[in-house]
Amino acid sequence: GTGAEEVLRNSNLIDRIVPFADEYEIYLKEGADPTVLLRQILDNGVEVRKYEITEPSLNDIFIAAVGSSETESPESAESGR
């Protein structure tokens, strides 16, 4: 792998990574500071050609909401009856 992959894999700020041909889309954990991640990447000698911070899309928010309800334990789902 590349140096970038190692830095990203070892960062405790990242929730998930979506790799593309020549870039990564990185989803940070709630409350994580994107500038701290950028500093980690640069401090490890990884070349950054593009750095962009965006807000989650409505689709991302929907998937997160549905995903969290699907991971509910059967006991807690049954107690709602």
Side-chain angles (χ1 to χ4, degrees):
T2 67
E5 290 170 347
E6 185 174 338
V7 172
L8 296 175
R9 192 172 32 252
N10 292 323
S11 176
N12 60 353
L13 303 173
I14 298 174
D15 182 44
R16 69 185 168 104
I17 301 169
V18 180
F20 292 97
D22 60 348
E23 63 184 51
Y24 296 95
E25 189 169 289
I26 302 168
Y27 294 82
L28 299 179
K29 291 180 180 174
E30 179 120 9
D33 184 345
T35 57
V36 172
L37 177 61
L38 179 60
R39 178 56 46 209
Q40 288 176 351
I41 293 168
L42 295 173
D43 286 350
N44 281 280
V46 177
E47 178 186 355
V48 175
R49 290 188 218 122
K50 178 182 175 184
Y51 177 77
E52 181 179 359
I53 300 172
T54 61
E55 293 299 317
S57 69
L58 288 176
N59 188 53
D60 291 335
I61 293 168
F62 174 77
I63 290 170
V66 170
S68 65
S69 69
E70 288 179 354
T71 59
E72 201 175 72
S73 70
E75 296 81 27
S76 63
E78 289 176 11
S79 66
R81 290 182 182 177

